[in-house]
Amino acid sequence: MAEMGKTENGKIEDKQENSTKDVSSTSNGSICGFESLHSLLQSSLSPNVFQEVSRMLLGMNCERSLDALALPTVATSLSSDHDFDLQAYCFQAQKESLREPRIVRVGLIQNSIALPTTEPFIEQRRAIFRKLKPIIEAAGASGVNILCLQEAWTMPFAFCTREKSWCEFAEPVDGESTHFLQDLARKYNMVIVSPILERDVVHGETIWNTAVIIGNRGNIIGKHRKNHIPRVGDFNESTYYMEGNTGHPVFETAFGKIAVNICYGRHHPLNWMAFGLNGAEIVFNPSATVGELSEPMWPIEARNAAIANSYYVGSINRVGTESFPNAFTSGDGKPQHNDFGHFYGSSHFSAPDASCTPSLSRYRDGLMVADMDLNLCRQLKDKWGFRMTARYELYAEMLARYVTPDFQPQIVSDPLLDKKTA
């Protein structure tokens, strides 16, 4: 069946009949009019070539391609009615003799903001609530056990500016967004990871970039604060909040052990490793990142972390271009601007065996669902032996020396470097 997709003018076209699109037509965030790289390749290649390319790009799970999951009609109807991308896949593990499969259904949501940034803040937030409710309900109707939202999902990603008025979006851990999600968590027996801008009223109104973990009974299990703050381009996040102080917590939920590596932390391998050492089985990476800066890294870093640490990773990026009323500069000599690029979505899952799902749309809201057999985590630890072959004592010694003021790199120089050749 020919794949159907939206073009630049919003019309639905048969992509098999329109594979010679104007390659410059990417203003809405699409790739030459296609929602994702996967859909572009599927439309452009013959089925047998596409299958081989997919094997190379997405890997194999238990020596086979990922199976698509059939979701209930109520979920697909919500996707159609509210125009969000909906995809679902299944990660398998080898059958074991002494353990039953440990299947958990996990979901990721990516979305654009709902109102212009010039609208009253309270209206912006509540419009996002209204926009996300049917997507969350589609996850619940699909039987999702653990759902993660994108970084700072309740607001525009205003940290490209240095305007402190955006701090008004900050709220306590038990604030309005948590109350909104608690009802849905109880209704659908679903753990929800809610990344927000946190206002710590106990510690002098300090602001943090925080993920709140809401249990399947609507209780607050705990929180984690973003460990790494970017200082690159328009990411002026240190203007708003500092590095987190919660370490690398792993939250034991009714459905598995989960952790949250917020956004920029994905560029730091030791950050990923620490969650693994604490026993994580699924690590979420709720993010907000733009194409010109990071897209070549996006399909690589989380997948590598899943492989190196023998856990699943859920990568989430918001979509759309957010324009702000006051222009700002990047300190690079280029003209001032009112936005800092297109958030390219492309949310996806990676597994410890190097397999991964296709990505969600680059420009539409979306829900990605995946069944995961958590037994795969131990199976890959047994297969590769990374925990046994790592040399943590050497790393610890090196790091202990590195953080001292008198550190000297371990460099052995060729004694003939300074001698002239005959």
Side-chain angles (χ1 to χ4, degrees):
M1 181 177 178
E3 182 183 354
M4 308 301 286
K6 287 194 173 181
T7 61
E8 293 294 311
N9 59 13
K11 294 181 180 179
I12 303 296
E13 292 189 0
D14 182 329
K15 290 183 178 177
Q16 289 185 352
E17 297 176 0
N18 292 273
S19 59
T20 58
K21 295 179 184 296
D22 177 2
V23 295
S24 64
S25 298
T26 57
S27 61
N28 70 343
S30 67
I31 304 177
C32 308
F34 292 89
E35 291 219 25
S36 65
L37 175 63
H38 192 77
S39 61
L40 185 157
L41 292 172
Q42 187 172 28
S43 177
S44 304
L45 302 175
S46 64
N48 60 318
V49 174
F50 173 70
Q51 182 178 10
E52 184 66 4
V53 170
S54 294
R55 179 190 67 80
M56 296 174 68
L57 291 178
L58 303 179
M60 302 289 279
N61 171 238
C62 294
E63 302 182 356
R64 57 182 292 181
S65 299
L66 291 181
D67 292 327
L69 282 175
L71 296 180
T73 302
V74 62
T76 57
S77 296
L78 284 166
S79 168
S80 177
D81 293 344
H82 296 275
D83 188 29
F84 60 87
D85 190 9
L86 177 63
Q87 299 184 39
Y89 301 93
C90 180
F91 290 99
Q92 309 281 352
Q94 298 295 333
K95 185 177 180 181
E96 298 186 17
S97 299
L98 300 179
R99 287 196 304 176
E100 293 296 320
R102 299 175 58 221
I103 309 297
V104 58
R105 183 162 290 188
V106 186
L108 311 174
I109 292 178
Q110 66 178 40
N111 61 276
S112 61
I113 57 176
L115 291 177
T117 60
T118 51
E119 293 296 309
F121 289 177
I122 188 65
E123 294 302 323
Q124 290 187 53
R125 174 186 286 173
R126 290 181 177 172
I128 291 175
F129 287 2
R130 291 191 296 271
K131 184 177 191 179
L132 257 64
K133 189 172 182 182
I135 309 179
I136 297 172
E137 289 177 334
S142 298
V144 167
N145 304 124
I146 307 172
L147 179 68
C148 187
L149 309 183
Q150 67 193 23
E151 182 184 20
W153 70 273
T154 65
M155 61 180 292
F157 203 76
F159 313 126
C160 53
T161 76
R162 291 184 174 87
E163 300 169 357
K164 288 309 192 71
S165 60
W166 303 105
C167 292
E168 289 188 44
F169 278 99
E171 57 181 316
V173 164
D174 61 350
E176 183 180 9
S177 65
T178 297
H179 294 161
F180 166 71
L181 294 175
Q182 283 175 308
D183 290 339
L184 293 164
R186 282 189 288 264
K187 178 179 179 179
Y188 292 110
N189 189 36
M190 182 166 59
V191 173
I192 301 179
V193 179
S194 173
I196 63 169
L197 192 63
E198 177 200 355
R199 183 176 294 279
D200 184 357
V201 295
V202 174
H203 295 95
E205 304 281 341
T206 303
I207 294 177
W208 308 92
N209 186 323
T210 300
V212 181
I213 315 301
I214 301 170
N216 57 309
R217 298 181 180 178
N219 56 307
I220 298 174
I221 297 176
K223 65 175 181 285
H224 173 57
R225 292 167 173 163
K226 184 174 181 175
N227 279 332
H228 299 275
I229 308 301
R231 292 170 176 85
V232 56
D234 289 330
F235 288 87
N236 298 314
E237 297 178 48
S238 57
T239 301
Y240 296 89
Y241 43 80
M242 300 194 319
E243 285 80 2
N245 60 0
T246 53
H248 296 86
V250 171
F251 302 93
E252 187 169 14
T253 74
F255 306 108
K257 296 177 181 178
I258 66 173
V260 192
N261 184 4
I262 303 174
C263 197
Y264 193 72
R266 73 181 179 278
H267 303 309
H268 296 270
L270 291 179
N271 206 46
W272 289 110
M273 183 181 72
F275 292 118
L277 294 179
N278 280 330
E281 296 170 310
I282 306 169
V283 179
F284 295 100
N285 179 229
S287 299
T289 185
V290 293
E292 290 185 4
L293 181 68
S294 66
E295 193 162 15
M297 305 176 184
W298 183 249
I300 298 171
E301 290 174 307
R303 191 176 182 183
N304 184 65
I307 298 166
N309 298 289
S310 303
Y311 51 49
Y312 291 94
V313 175
S315 303
I316 314 163
N317 186 26
R318 63 174 59 203
V319 291
T321 302
E322 301 174 2
S323 182
F324 295 90
N326 299 320
F328 49 90
T329 62
S330 304
D332 57 4
K334 294 181 180 180
Q336 63 181 4
H337 41 276
N338 293 82
D339 68 78
F340 73 139
H342 174 72
F343 296 106
Y344 53 83
S346 304
S347 304
H348 63 282
F349 284 111
S350 305
D353 64 355
S355 62
C356 61
T357 67
S359 298
L360 288 175
S361 172
R362 292 187 84 258
Y363 61 89
R364 282 201 299 153
D365 298 345
L367 168 64
M368 174 70 76
V369 176
D371 278 359
M372 302 173 175
D373 188 339
L374 298 184
N375 283 352
L376 188 63
C377 298
R378 183 198 285 178
Q379 289 174 11
L380 267 295
K381 288 177 181 177
D382 290 349
K383 177 178 180 178
W384 285 103
F386 291 152
R387 287 289 183 270
M388 293 187 291
T389 55
R391 296 297 305 277
Y392 299 114
E393 72 283 3
L394 294 182
Y395 313 150
E397 179 186 352
M398 168 64 179
L399 291 171
R401 287 190 290 108
Y402 181 76
V403 298
T404 61
D406 58 349
F407 169 74
Q408 292 294 322
Q410 186 179 3
I411 298 175
V412 179
S413 298
D414 182 345
L416 300 181
L417 280 178
D418 296 330
K419 294 184 177 182
K420 295 181 180 180
T421 58

